[in-house]
Amino acid sequence: MKALLFTCLLVLWLMAASARRFNDESRLRPGSLPNGYISEYLKSRRARRALPAADEPDATPAPRESDGGADLPTCLLCVCLSGSVYCEEVSPDMTTVPLLPKETAYLYARFNKIKKIGRNDFGDTVTLKRIDLTGNLISEIDDAAFSKLTILEELSLAENNLIKLPALPAKLTSFNANHNLLKTRGVKANAFKKLTKLANLYLANNQLEAVPFIPESVRILHLQDNNITEVNTDTFCKSDNSYYLRLSLSEVRMDGNPVVLSKYPDSFTCMKVLPVGQYR
């Protein structure tokens, strides 16, 4: 009887030990649980751990609104890339200067339908170095539109409908107003006088009757296809200084004007090259 009881207890112990071993192996053996079960379980634990307690306020700071949030519409219509904004032939039609991201240095808004440039259109983008508005419908520019752009170097207003020029930034090195409706009365006598770094000046295909004041720094001057009828000894040279030389001016185009340049031989004595134009 005792032997039978001992045998039964031994069988029960062996069965219990086998069950424990099976459970341990099923937890450790790959494939013993459904695919992804452990990873999903761990993810859910992490997620629960990250959540604040229901009775505690969430101390996590709210996301800060991006400083450039207001710039998003422009950068959806245009291409914004490393300080440059490209808004060329935008659809739907762009009729005003776009709101620019802060620290924009280069704006290319060519071939749109911008009609006017207001006083504040560039007021908040003082980092601009180049603006190209070629091929728009601009007929009016506020005289102070570029007043805050103290480091602007290149400005193109070519192929627009301008009848007068605004005040221009003093550090311009290149200015292009080809193919507009400019007459001499629309260009102030001192329009370029303070532009001591201006190297390229393009005023071709307008309606100018006279050559405007040209700064000493200008190297390339395009005045072709205007209504210029005469030049004088002070247009390019200085009548009161026979020793004066204008060495920087290397290219002058005056072709397509009514003026016959050969009638004014003393007007070019200070220049190292003669203007291209009509001589007979």
Side-chain angles (χ1 to χ4, degrees), residues 67-88:
D67 291 338
D71 304 327
L72 186 59
T74 294
C75 292
L76 287 176
L77 291 172
C78 310
V79 176
C80 301
L81 180 64
S82 298
S84 298
V85 177
Y86 300 86
C87 302
E88 302 190 355

Side-chain angles (χ1 to χ4, degrees), residues 24-203:
D24 290 340
E25 288 180 352
S26 66
R27 282 198 298 269
L28 299 174
R29 186 174 63 249
S32 62
L33 293 175
N35 288 337
Y37 177 87
I38 293 176
S39 61
E40 292 300 325
Y41 172 74
L42 292 175
K43 286 180 182 178
S44 65
R45 285 193 62 185
R46 292 192 191 105
R48 286 195 298 272
R49 191 182 302 129
L51 291 175
D55 57 349
E56 295 178 0
D58 185 2
T60 305
R64 186 165 60 93
E65 185 177 352
S66 171
D67 291 338
D71 304 327
L72 186 59
T74 294
C75 292
L76 287 176
L77 291 172
C78 310
V79 176
C80 301
L81 180 64
S82 298
S84 298
V85 177
Y86 300 86
C87 302
E88 302 190 355
E89 298 182 281
V90 173
S91 180
D93 293 342
M94 178 178 286
T95 58
T96 59
V97 174
L99 179 64
L100 299 176
K102 293 179 180 179
E103 299 183 3
T104 298
Y106 305 98
L107 169 63
Y108 303 90
R110 298 178 287 201
F111 309 112
N112 290 294
K113 295 185 178 179
I114 299 171
K115 299 177 180 179
K116 180 180 178 181
I117 300 178
R119 173 184 294 265
N120 298 317
D121 283 346
F122 297 113
D124 295 328
T125 321
V126 296
T127 52
L128 281 165
K129 294 182 179 180
R130 179 186 300 160
I131 297 175
D132 192 342
L133 296 168
T134 299
N136 280 276
L137 303 174
I138 302 169
S139 60
E140 182 180 350
I141 301 178
D142 190 281
D143 201 50
F146 306 117
S147 62
K148 296 182 180 180
L149 305 184
T150 57
I151 63 172
L152 187 69
E153 297 176 353
E154 299 179 40
L155 175 60
S156 178
L157 301 172
E159 299 178 41
N160 280 283
N161 299 321
L162 292 173
I163 59 174
K164 67 176 183 177
L165 293 180
L168 299 172
K171 291 189 177 180
L172 279 184
T173 60
S174 180
F175 178 64
N176 189 342
N178 286 345
H179 293 277
N180 275 279
L181 304 174
L182 294 171
K183 295 185 177 182
T184 296
R185 67 173 178 267
V187 181
K188 296 178 181 179
N190 62 349
F192 308 111
K193 192 170 184 177
K194 296 182 179 180
L195 276 58
T196 57
K197 296 185 178 181
L198 189 64
N200 304 320
L201 179 56
Y202 304 103
L203 296 170

